[in-house]
Amino acid sequence: MRTLRFLLRKEFRQIFRDKAILTLIFFMPVIQFIIMPLAADYEVRNVNLSVVDNDKSTYSQKLISKVIASGYFKLQGYNSSFKEAFQLIESDKADLILEIPHGFERNLIRETKQKLFVAVNAINGTKANLGGAYLSTIIGNFNADIRMQLIQQPRFSQFPVIEVVASNWFNPVLNYKVFIVPGILAILVTMIGGFLTALNIVKEKEVGTIEQINVTPIKKHIFILGKLIPFWVLAMIVFTIGLILARLIYGIVPIGSLLVLYVFIAIYLLTVLGFGLLVSTFCDTQQQAMFIMFFFMMLFILLGGLFTSIDSMPYWAKLITRINPVRYMIEVMRMVILKGSGFQDVLPQMAIVSLMAVILNGWAILNYKKTN
Amino acid sequence: MKQFIAFVKKEFFHVLRDRRTLLILFGMPIAQILIFGFALTNEVKDSEILVVDYAKDDASQQIIAEIAASRYFDIRNAALTHKEILSTFQKGKIKAVVVFPSDFNRDLLHNNQAQIQIITDATDINTANMITNYLTAIIKDYQTKINENLTIPYQIIPETRMLYNPQLKGAHGFVPGVMALVLMLVSVMMTAISIVREKEMGTMEILLVSPFKPVLVIFAKAFPYLILSLINVAAILFLSVFALELPIKGSLLLLFGESTLFIITCLALGIFISIKTDSQQIAMLISLMGMLLPTMMFSGFLFPIENMPVPLQVISNIIPSKWFYIIVKSIMIKGLGIAALWKETLILAGMTLFLLAISLKSFKIRLQ
């Protein structure tokens, strides 16, 4: 125990001595945490719209002003032909084209049926899907208005109508920050813990100081603990700063219990640090360690369910997400902070992460012995 | 010149000798393109939703069957109270609940009006939005079906065409994005670290006292990474065409030319970082912690840049991968030529010159 205390004192001193690293650990994540949520905005508004109005009738004018009044679309301009509008799509200045055919108003009244053309730049899936859907809804409403004007409606609807009432729970005003902030905090804490531990042991290897430790009677697990605890403490501090900032800047107050959150993050960090340690036992140079961490971090982050939904991934990718600790962290952050999930709700995630922590750290200790 | 070639050769051997790093260097981008190309999509499919059917009549059963038949949803049937709905959401898996009130069909038949309630878990906004949209579309289809014999007057039918990506595959947006991200980080980190490493080990001093010009030392170190990155570009393009079935509509030559330019920009950035830092650890933390998230966020492949607040839109302009993402997307998917891309090309070239200029300047200062 005494050895551990000395080791810890040494490690902490080493960390605090290097001002540059210390700034990186605290400053960079804080800055990123403040900026990133502002950038991560998926909310579909300001969809750039180009209109080709071949009809120039009262109806076409009304439709266009209705579309713009909805607030989702930004009119990029009227174009005289589809070809001209398409050029706007090519140069990314427009996302959608609404083409109103010649004779729109006349045909609608005479033949009581008329088509409209909508073209969507579908490279960006979300914008395409949602923008197209909003436009259809607005056209549908416009259609209902027209019908109301043209025919005397009976008191009751003539046709069976199903009304869909949608309510969005946990985030009723659909504030995107609420969705993204817990996820970004999860990723930042993961990166700090993972990168620092991975680099630390490899650095000792590269510089040669590890040999010196290896010839002392320090037990392996004490050595590993000595490496693990300082970074665990640092990551916990960064996490706490993150929670405070989330509250101060974005007004996100965890609905669920902080205790549940902290118990989970404490175990989760052991998993992440264990992973970093394991990687460092495999590598000889910091360069290798960094690249391997980079590879896994990208996998963890992009397959973590923060940016794209895990449900829509193919089966094999879903299997990968099951051994992705970041996925569980993001899930639990959202569950506890936004939905108020309790200890029992997050028990499955906690069990998996604990198991991972045991396996990864155990493996790291075993593997470390081998290098001796 | 002869000296330079000899030096580049030495650096090449240096890189090639380290098998493990080499494996990482090539294996990583390939694995990432494949995994992300197939796995990432903005679509919503197989979302687990809960159907609470208080009506249990023909109409509700038919709609449920329609929902079940679509590939978007996995239905869990349950009879629940509102309180229980809350706890199912808190357990996590369920993304939405569809509630049919009792007397659903009766209302539909007699009053010609019935309600369906959709409750979504809006902690994930996009999924919530899309689920609502898909469900509404399915319900509207059903409504049209039961109205089939009635002619609805004054109908406007929007016909939607999906340009460039009719099947709405995720790969169209993600492959150019991942390409920009991977090339950027690999080139920046590799150069930065390999130069700082020499500094850290003290071997840089030896190089600097040699009759060889210091600037050329740096260039010779960066050169092998240019070649390796170009091989990576070729591998990535090969995979995206043959495995991900993504077309290359524009000129392949132009694509390679632009990629070379972008890689040089990244190498210049790597050189700049290496000159400003003294330890590998800091160089790595800067290139990873400082660049991984910003490049992901500001390239525009995950989040639309025009949605960001104006100051961030301005910041996004200094991220090289933003411009490269636009270039790759335009050449590969839209099939545009240099005439449409000269602006982006000039910006990347300008960045490169700027980075090289300030690197060289601070480099000289260090030597004095």
Side-chain angles (χ1 to χ4, degrees):
Chain A
M1 221 46 225
R2 236 169 65 99
T3 345
L4 181 62
R5 219 169 52 218
F6 283 124
L7 263 181
L8 284 178
R9 201 177 290 164
K10 169 205 146 235
E11 290 291 337
F12 270 114
R13 259 193 208 150
Q14 260 176 347
I15 295 170
F16 281 101
R17 201 169 40 201
D18 195 340
K19 289 283 178 291
I21 295 258
L22 208 61
T23 335
L24 282 178
I25 297 175
F26 287 109
F27 203 58
M28 211 146 62
V30 167
I31 295 286
Q32 294 198 357
F33 188 65
I34 293 172
I35 293 177
M36 288 306 139
L38 296 173
D41 192 343
Y42 244 142
E43 209 179 308
V44 177
R45 60 188 144 79
N46 298 331
V47 180
N48 294 316
L49 178 73
S50 157
V51 173
V52 182
D53 184 359
N54 293 319
D55 199 36
K56 298 215 171 54
S57 58
T58 327
Y59 277 2
S60 69
Q61 290 302 323
K62 268 191 194 158
L63 173 61
I64 294 163
S65 56
K66 188 154 187 168
V67 169
I68 294 164
S70 72
Y72 295 120
F73 301 97
K74 215 162 76 187
L75 185 66
Q76 280 306 307
Y78 291 96
N79 295 99
S80 52
S81 66
F82 183 82
K83 218 176 132 192
E84 207 183 287
F86 184 71
Q87 275 172 355
L88 287 183
I89 293 238
E90 264 192 344
S91 58
D92 268 342
K93 291 199 181 78
D95 305 304
L96 286 177
I97 302 176
L98 171 63
E99 190 184 19
I100 302 170
H102 194 69
F104 169 70
E105 182 173 322
R106 199 187 54 217
N107 290 345
L108 184 62
I109 293 175
R110 281 203 198 147
E111 287 156 38
T112 85
K113 211 176 211 180
Q114 174 60 35
K115 279 181 182 162
L116 271 182
F117 302 101
V118 176
V120 182
N121 176 0
I123 298 179
N124 177 345
T126 315
K127 235 184 168 171
N129 265 330
L130 289 177
Y134 289 159
L135 196 57
S136 311
T137 313
I138 296 168
I139 294 172
N141 291 339
F142 174 74
N143 198 173
D145 290 351
I146 297 267
R147 210 173 283 145
M148 198 114 98
Q149 270 178 25
L150 294 175
I151 36 177
Q152 194 66 38
Q153 291 278 10
R155 268 178 76 118
F156 291 107
S157 164
Q158 259 182 313
F159 318 104
V161 174
I162 302 170
E163 197 188 344
V164 178
V165 187
S167 52
N168 300 301
W169 282 16
F170 309 115
N171 187 6
V173 291
L174 295 181
N175 179 351
Y176 208 79
K177 311 276 176 297
V178 167
F179 157 66
I180 205 84
V181 165
I184 290 192
L185 181 55
I187 286 179
L188 283 175
V189 171
T190 310
M191 293 216 302
I192 295 188
F195 286 145
L196 288 178
T197 26
L199 283 180
N200 196 280
I201 292 189
V202 186
K203 192 185 176 186
E204 297 228 22
K205 272 195 206 168
E206 221 172 16
V207 181
T209 45
I210 204 149
E211 308 291 325
Q212 287 163 25
I213 291 196
N214 284 347
V215 294
T216 62
I218 293 175
K219 292 208 174 66
K220 308 289 177 245
H221 67 273
I222 297 275
F223 174 70
I224 294 274
L225 270 181
K227 287 284 175 200
L228 223 137
I229 292 171
F231 295 115
W232 185 87
V233 172
L234 284 179
M236 283 299 251
I237 295 173
V238 171
F239 176 72
T240 309
I241 296 175
L243 272 190
I244 295 170
L245 285 177
R247 185 174 194 143
L248 292 180
I249 302 176
Y250 301 107
I252 297 170
V253 184
I255 298 175
S257 121
L258 276 180
L259 183 71
V260 177
L261 205 55
Y262 269 94
V263 170
F264 183 83
I265 183 91
I267 303 172
Y268 170 77
L269 278 176
L270 289 181
T271 314
V272 174
L273 301 182
F275 184 73
L277 284 175
L278 182 62
V279 168
S280 73
T281 58
F282 272 110
C283 298
D284 304 319
T285 64
Q286 293 183 68
Q287 206 173 1
Q288 283 173 1
M290 222 14 26
F291 271 100
I292 293 178
M293 281 312 279
F294 163 61
F295 175 71
F296 280 104
M297 271 309 160
M298 258 185 83
L299 275 188
F300 286 166
I301 293 172
L302 287 176
L303 296 185
L306 179 62
F307 299 123
T308 65
S309 143
I310 290 176
D311 285 338
S312 9
M313 292 175 190
Y315 182 68
W316 57 267
K318 278 184 200 163
L319 285 185
I320 298 181
T321 67
R322 288 209 192 146
I323 49 166
N324 176 1
V326 176
R327 172 222 166 131
Y328 298 106
M329 173 71 181
I330 292 173
E331 271 177 15
V332 169
M333 289 285 276
R334 282 198 187 139
M335 287 166 83
V336 178
I337 295 183
L338 304 179
K339 296 192 228 176
S341 304
F343 186 72
Q344 284 204 320
D345 297 321
V346 300
L347 208 57
Q349 280 90 342
M350 215 177 269
I352 296 172
V353 172
S354 309
L355 184 67
M356 283 183 187
V358 173
I359 293 175
L360 289 170
N361 285 299
W363 192 357
I365 293 174
L366 282 179
N367 212 36
Y368 175 64
K369 268 181 189 162
K370 267 190 210 157
T371 58
N372 242 1
Chain B
M1 202 57 210
K2 235 176 93 181
Q3 264 181 324
F4 183 68
I5 292 169
F7 211 89
V8 167
K9 245 189 213 159
K10 176 213 147 218
E11 287 302 323
F12 251 116
F13 282 129
H14 208 66
V15 176
L16 293 181
R17 204 173 37 205
D18 188 351
R19 286 286 151 77
R20 217 192 269 186
T21 311
L22 213 58
L23 186 74
I24 299 169
L25 206 57
F26 287 121
M28 205 173 65
I30 289 171
Q32 281 175 337
I33 283 288
L34 284 179
I35 294 173
F36 297 136
F38 281 114
L40 297 186
T41 149
N42 279 319
E43 247 194 334
V44 170
K45 6 174 225 219
D46 303 332
S47 286
E48 286 186 36
I49 62 167
L50 205 67
V51 171
V52 182
D53 186 3
Y54 293 124
K56 291 207 193 306
D57 50 36
D58 291 347
S60 71
Q61 291 301 323
Q62 277 167 24
I63 293 178
I64 295 170
E66 302 266 342
I67 297 174
S70 88
R71 70 203 165 105
Y72 302 121
F73 303 110
D74 262 0
I75 290 193
R76 305 268 177 280
N77 272 302
L80 289 178
T81 62
H82 260 58
K83 210 172 161 189
E84 287 164 322
I85 292 177
L86 179 67
S87 70
T88 5
F89 273 133
Q90 280 175 339
K91 279 196 196 89
K93 291 211 116 183
I94 300 294
K95 297 285 160 63
V97 179
V98 182
V99 187
F100 292 89
S102 53
D103 302 332
F104 178 71
N105 202 16
R106 211 192 65 193
D107 286 344
L108 197 61
L109 292 177
H110 296 282
N111 299 340
N112 270 350
Q113 190 149 29
Q115 271 194 353
I116 294 176
Q117 194 188 13
I118 299 174
I119 305 169
T120 56
D121 173 356
T123 45
D124 184 345
I125 297 179
N126 280 327
T127 309
N129 269 336
M130 287 212 222
I131 287 178
T132 311
N133 281 338
Y134 289 147
L135 283 173
T136 312
I138 293 172
I139 293 164
K140 285 259 144 52
D141 278 350
Y142 175 77
Q143 193 182 305
T144 324
K145 221 187 255 172
I146 54 174
N147 287 341
E148 219 163 23
N149 301 325
L150 306 161
T151 33
I152 301 173
Y154 305 115
Q155 239 183 325
I156 302 173
I157 307 150
E159 260 183 15
T160 307
R161 223 182 326 160
M162 295 293 174
L163 302 171
Y164 302 119
N165 184 8
Q167 294 159 293
L168 292 179
K169 276 200 215 159
H172 282 68
F174 286 120
V175 166
V178 174
M179 196 168 146
L181 188 61
V182 168
L183 281 183
M184 163 114 189
L185 288 163
V186 168
S187 323
V188 173
M189 277 196 292
M190 275 294 175
T191 7
I193 292 167
S194 70
I195 297 175
V196 175
R197 193 176 182 192
E198 300 249 4
K199 270 199 208 172
E200 215 173 36
M201 299 212 162
T203 40
M204 194 60 138
E205 311 291 317
I206 302 168
L207 287 175
L208 293 182
V209 294
S210 73
F212 201 64
K213 271 208 186 116
V215 178
L216 288 182
V217 175
I218 303 280
F219 282 163
K221 284 207 146 300
F223 195 76
Y225 297 115
L226 172 65
I227 303 295
L228 294 177
S229 298
L230 277 174
I231 298 177
N232 264 334
V233 172
I236 290 172
L237 290 180
F238 184 83
L239 284 176
S240 52
V241 171
F242 292 102
L244 294 164
E245 290 163 9
L246 207 66
I248 299 180
K249 283 196 187 147
S251 144
L252 196 60
L253 195 68
L254 180 62
L255 192 53
F256 266 97
E258 297 278 6
S259 304
T260 313
L261 173 63
F262 176 66
I263 293 165
I264 295 177
T265 316
C266 299
L267 296 180
L269 183 58
I271 291 174
F272 177 66
I273 293 176
S274 72
I275 283 174
K276 288 288 178 198
T277 51
D278 291 317
S279 81
Q280 285 188 74
Q281 215 165 0
I282 292 177
M284 277 184 271
L285 283 176
I286 288 179
S287 27
L288 264 181
M289 278 295 293
M291 286 171 35
L292 182 59
L293 275 183
T295 23
M296 262 190 203
M297 299 255 163
F298 290 121
S299 307
F301 84 103
L302 284 174
F303 301 100
I305 290 175
E306 62 266 31
N307 269 5
M308 298 172 191
V310 181
L312 292 188
Q313 291 190 25
V314 176
I315 293 179
S316 79
N317 289 330
I318 59 166
I319 308 280
S321 48
K322 169 191 170 173
W323 304 104
F324 187 60
Y325 174 62
I326 297 176
I327 292 173
V328 176
K329 208 171 61 174
S330 304
I331 300 177
M332 275 181 88
I333 298 166
K334 295 185 183 170
L336 300 181
I338 185 74
L341 296 168
W342 62 269
K343 204 181 94 193
E344 285 79 9
T345 312
L346 272 186
I347 292 174
L348 280 184
M351 283 181 179
T352 314
L353 287 181
F354 176 73
L355 284 169
L356 285 178
I358 51 170
S359 307
L360 290 184
K361 204 167 158 243
S362 21
F363 191 55
K364 273 182 202 138
I365 292 166
R366 249 186 57 83
L367 284 178
Q368 275 158 7

